[in-house]
Amino acid sequence: MPSSSENPFGNPDVIVIGAGNAAACAALAAREQGASVIMIEAAPKEEAGGNSRYTAGAMRVVFNGPEDLKKIIPDLTDAEIAGADFGSYTTDQFYDDMGRLTEYRTDPDLAEILITRSLDTLIWMQKKGVKFQASFGRQAHKVDGKFKFFGGLACETWGGGEGLVDLEHKAAMKAGVQIFYDTPAIELIETDEGIGGVKVRVGNKKIDIYAKAVILACGGFESNAEMRAKYLGPNWDLAKVRGTRFNTGGGLNMALNVGAMPYGQWSGCHSVSWDLNAPPFGDLVVGDSYQKHSYPFGIMINARGERFVDEGADIRNYTYAKYGKIVLEQPNMFAWQVFDAKISPKLRDEYRIRQVTKVQANTLEELATLLEGVDAAAFLKTVQEFNAAVMDQVPLNLAIKDGRGTKNLTIPKSNWANAIDTGPFEAYAVTCGVTFTFGGIKINNHGEVENTSGKPIPGLYAAGEIVGGLFYYNYPGGTGLTSGSVFGKIAGDSAGKAVSKK
Ligand SMILES: Cc1cc2nc3c(=O)[nH]c(=O)nc-3n(C[C@H](O)[C@H](O)[C@H](O)COP(=O)(O)OP(=O)(O)OC[C@H]3O[C@@H](n4cnc5c(N)ncnc54)[C@H](O)[C@@H]3O)c2cc1C
C-alpha cells in the first residue's frame, strides 16, 4: 500500500466513481447506511458534475395531482396551484411512455423500479437539500389565462443542472463525503472476494485506492469519438457533444474488463437538433440552449430543400431525442428550421440567445438565398406544396396535439401545421448534438453489476447513464436525471448495507 502522503484518499468503505447526479445520490444513500464514502471525479472542479450539470433539471416523476408535487416543491403556493392545470402523470402513463418510445424493449424490471420509485426518490432528494420548482417556463402553455402543463414533465430542479449539482455536492460534503477532482479512475482492482478498489490517475501517478465496494456512476461513451464511430456507426464521430467532455466510456471499459455484462442498445443514443456552430463539447455558460426544440411548430429543410421528417408527429418531449439522428443522416449533416411571423414570437427561449445560427428575411425568396447549403428553388417548391397541404380549417393549438395536419404530402406533418406565409421569416441552422449513449452494463434490482453469467460481481454497483437496458431508440424527456437518482439511491443503499456486514 502507498504511504498516506502518496494516498490522500484514506480507506473508504465505498468509492463512487463520478460526481454527477447518479454519483451524488449513490454517495448520499451509502452514507445514510453508515458507510464512509468518497467520490472520484475525472473533471477539475470548474467542470465537475458531468452531464447532470448541463441539464435544465427537468425530472419526470409520477404525480397524481398538485398534492404530490407539493411533497417535492413545498413552497408551491396556493395561487400557483390555482393558476395552473398541472394535470397528473400516473404510473400507467409513465409505463406507456417508456414502452411506446422504446418500442417495448425497455427492461421491465428496470422500468418498474424507475417508475414506481420516482416520487419517493425525489421526496428523498428534497429532504437531502435539493430544491425543485414547477416547470412553468418550458413545460406549460397559457390557455385562457391558465398554465396548462403537457408531456408529463411538471417539475424541474431549482437553478437547473447547476443548481442540482451544487446542492447535491453541498449535501454530500455536509454528510462527510469527500470529492476528489481531476482524478480519473482507470482500472478496477480485483481481489479473491470481488472488486476491492480502483486505480486512479493523479497527475502522472497511478494510485490504488482500496475499498469494500465501488459504485460506477461515470456516464456513457458519448464524449469519445472513437467509441461513437465504433458502436453508433459512421458519422457519429462528427456529431457535436452536448455535455461534458469527460464521459469517455472509461467506466464501461473498466466494467467490461472485469466481466460485466454489456446490456441495452449499444448502437443507440439520445441526440437532438443542436446549433450548427455550437462548440464540439458542451459550454456550461450556454447550457442546453444550443438545442432548438420548437421544430414541431415549423418545418425542417435539408440541403436538397426538402422536408425529411414529420416535425409534428408528437409533442417535443417525445420526439426531440430521436430527431438528432435523423438530422445526422441528412446530406452534410445539417438542417434549417423555418418559421414564419405567426410562430416566431412563440419560440422557446433558446432561440433568443446570442450564440445562434439564424437568418431572417421579409420574403421567402430572399430567405431562400440565405439558407446556406440549401437548393433554393427546391426549398421554395417545398414551402409552396406544404402551405397548400395545411388543414387550415382545424384550429392551431400549441398546448395540445391539435390534429392540424397536412393532406397528401409524402412526408406528412401530423400536428401544428401552419402555412409558412407571413413575413418576416426566420430560419435556424442545426446539426446533430449527442446527449448520452443508451448502451451500458447490466445491473440487477439491487444495483449490483451482473457478470456475463448473470451473477452479481461482488462489490461492484452501478447507476445512471452507465446502466444499459432502459432506453432504446428514443427517450421520454426528463427521464435521465430521474433514472440516475432512483438507481443511484438503490446502488448506494445496497453498497452501504453490504459494507456494513463486511
Ligand atoms: C445539454 C443536456 C441537457 C440535458 N437535459 C436533461 C434534463 O433536463 N432532464 C434530464 O432528465 N436529463 C437531461 N439530460 C440527460 C442527463 O444529463 C443525464 O441522463 C444524467 O445527467 C446522467 O447522470 P449521470 O450521473 O449518470 O452522468 P453524468 O452526470 O454525466 O456524470 C458522470 C460523471 O462521471 C465522471 N467521469 C466520467 N469518467 C470518469 C472516470 N473514468 N473517472 C472518474 N470520473 C469519471 C464525469 O466527469 C461526471 O462527473 C441532459 C443532458 C445534456 C447533455
Side-chain angles (χ1 to χ4, degrees):
M1 278 229 214
S3 71
S4 59
S5 63
E6 285 172 321
N7 182 350
F9 303 101
N11 292 303
D13 293 324
V14 177
I15 302 168
V16 180
I17 306 181
N21 173 54
C25 289
L28 284 165
R31 201 54 211 107
E32 212 172 53
Q33 298 299 328
S36 61
V37 182
I38 62 168
M39 286 160 79
I40 297 297
E41 163 65 304
K45 191 168 184 189
E46 318 78 73
E47 291 179 79
N51 276 347
S52 304
R53 189 160 161 197
Y54 288 80
T55 69
M59 289 187 75
R60 188 166 290 266
V61 58
V62 167
F63 66 96
N64 290 308
E67 56 289 353
D68 277 343
L69 288 178
K70 267 278 267 199
K71 294 178 192 160
I72 314 169
I73 316 169
D75 45 11
L76 192 64
T77 64
D78 291 345
E80 282 171 323
I81 292 173
D85 174 5
F86 288 104
S88 59
Y89 188 61
T90 62
T91 308
D92 284 352
Q93 283 171 299
F94 205 163
Y95 274 118
D96 283 350
D97 285 342
M98 285 297 290
R100 182 169 50 88
L101 268 67
T102 63
E103 301 184 18
Y104 299 95
R105 284 183 184 269
T106 187
D107 177 302
D109 285 348
L110 294 182
E112 180 179 343
I113 291 170
L114 168 74
I115 293 164
T116 56
R117 303 213 193 153
S118 60
L119 180 61
D120 285 351
T121 303
L122 267 66
I123 294 172
W124 173 80
M125 289 169 78
Q126 193 271 334
K127 292 201 173 116
K128 290 283 170 204
V130 173
K131 284 194 199 157
F132 294 96
Q133 59 189 359
S135 305
F136 285 105
R138 282 188 168 183
Q139 293 293 325
H141 288 293
K142 219 162 191 182
V143 181
D144 300 330
K146 222 172 178 179
F147 284 101
K148 183 166 173 50
F149 281 76
F150 58 86
L153 254 186
C155 145
E156 65 191 27
T157 54
W158 179 83
E162 289 268 7
L164 168 70
V165 169
D166 179 45
L167 291 175
E168 286 183 333
H169 284 189
K170 282 189 177 132
M173 286 184 294
K174 193 170 153 210
V177 176
Q178 210 178 337
I179 307 174
F180 293 90
Y181 301 98
D182 255 329
T183 306
I186 50 177
E187 196 181 319
L188 292 167
I189 298 170
E190 289 184 273
T191 68
D192 291 347
E193 280 80 47
I195 299 304
V198 63
K199 190 186 285 296
V200 298
R201 194 185 297 281
V202 181
N204 294 325
K205 278 195 191 143
K206 291 180 187 173
I207 300 180
D208 289 346
I209 317 173
Y210 298 94
K212 295 175 188 159
V214 173
I215 302 176
L216 295 164
C218 42
F221 62 84
E222 62 274 2
S223 314
N224 181 329
E226 189 258 355
M227 285 180 81
R228 288 203 305 274
K230 187 165 159 188
Y231 295 110
L232 304 180
N235 287 335
W236 281 99
D237 41 351
L238 305 178
K240 306 224 183 224
V241 177
R242 297 178 66 205
T244 178
R245 60 195 171 99
F246 292 93
N247 286 355
T248 52
L252 286 166
N253 289 327
M254 280 186 269
L256 297 182
N257 283 344
V258 298
M261 175 73 164
Y263 194 51
Q265 192 189 18
W266 278 70
S267 60
C269 71
H270 179 305
S271 65
V272 308
S273 295
W274 193 245
D275 192 282
L276 183 63
N277 291 307
F281 293 99
D283 171 345
L284 278 168
V285 177
V286 177
D288 70 355
S289 290
Y290 286 117
Q291 69 194 14
K292 295 291 166 270
H293 285 178
S294 292
Y295 60 84
F297 308 136
I299 58 170
M300 285 203 275
I301 296 290
N302 65 15
R304 289 192 288 265
E306 293 166 352
R307 289 178 55 248
F308 53 89
V309 74
D310 181 350
E311 302 89 344
D314 205 333
I315 58 171
R316 168 263 176 207
N317 295 355
Y318 299 120
T319 59
Y320 78 107
K322 64 176 181 179
Y323 280 5
K325 176 175 191 282
I326 297 178
V327 172
L328 182 110
E329 288 163 356
Q330 301 312 304
N332 297 328
M333 295 172 51
F334 74 89
W336 285 91
Q337 298 179 357
V338 183
F339 306 96
D340 80 347
K342 302 196 294 297
I343 289 296
S344 28
K346 300 188 166 62
L347 297 181
R348 290 162 60 105
D349 290 352
E350 68 233 20
Y351 286 78
R352 283 180 274 280
I353 63 169
R354 197 166 45 83
Q355 305 86 337
V356 72
T357 308
K358 169 185 178 181
V359 294
Q360 188 170 357
N362 287 326
T363 65
L364 281 168
E365 289 70 21
E366 189 193 344
L367 188 78
T369 65
L370 299 176
L371 299 180
E372 206 177 319
V374 174
D375 179 330
F379 163 69
L380 290 171
K381 183 165 172 277
T382 298
V383 175
Q384 197 182 29
E385 285 168 4
F386 177 80
N387 287 353
V390 170
M391 293 159 55
D392 44 19
Q393 70 282 10
V394 181
L396 183 73
N397 183 346
L398 305 189
I400 53 165
K401 276 168 76 171
D402 63 3
R404 182 174 151 119
T406 54
K407 293 178 303 258
N408 305 325
L409 287 182
T410 321
I411 298 176
K413 184 168 182 197
S414 304
N415 294 285
W416 313 292
N418 171 53
I420 311 281
D421 59 6
T422 308
F425 301 93
E426 291 180 1
Y428 297 81
V430 294
T431 185
C432 170
V434 58
T435 319
F436 67 91
T437 43
F438 291 158
I441 48 176
K442 186 159 186 344
I443 56 165
N444 64 17
N445 296 355
H446 309 290
E448 296 169 296
V449 176
E450 288 187 357
N451 65 18
T452 47
S453 310
K455 298 217 169 64
I457 299 175
L460 190 61
Y461 302 80
E465 276 176 11
I466 195 169
V467 169
L470 268 172
F471 308 118
Y472 295 78
Y473 306 116
N474 197 4
Y475 153 104
T479 315
L481 286 175
T482 306
S483 154
S485 300
V486 168
F487 292 101
K489 180 171 185 310
I490 290 172
D493 280 343
S494 299
K497 282 183 189 142
V499 300
S500 70
K501 291 186 199 135
K502 282 191 182 174

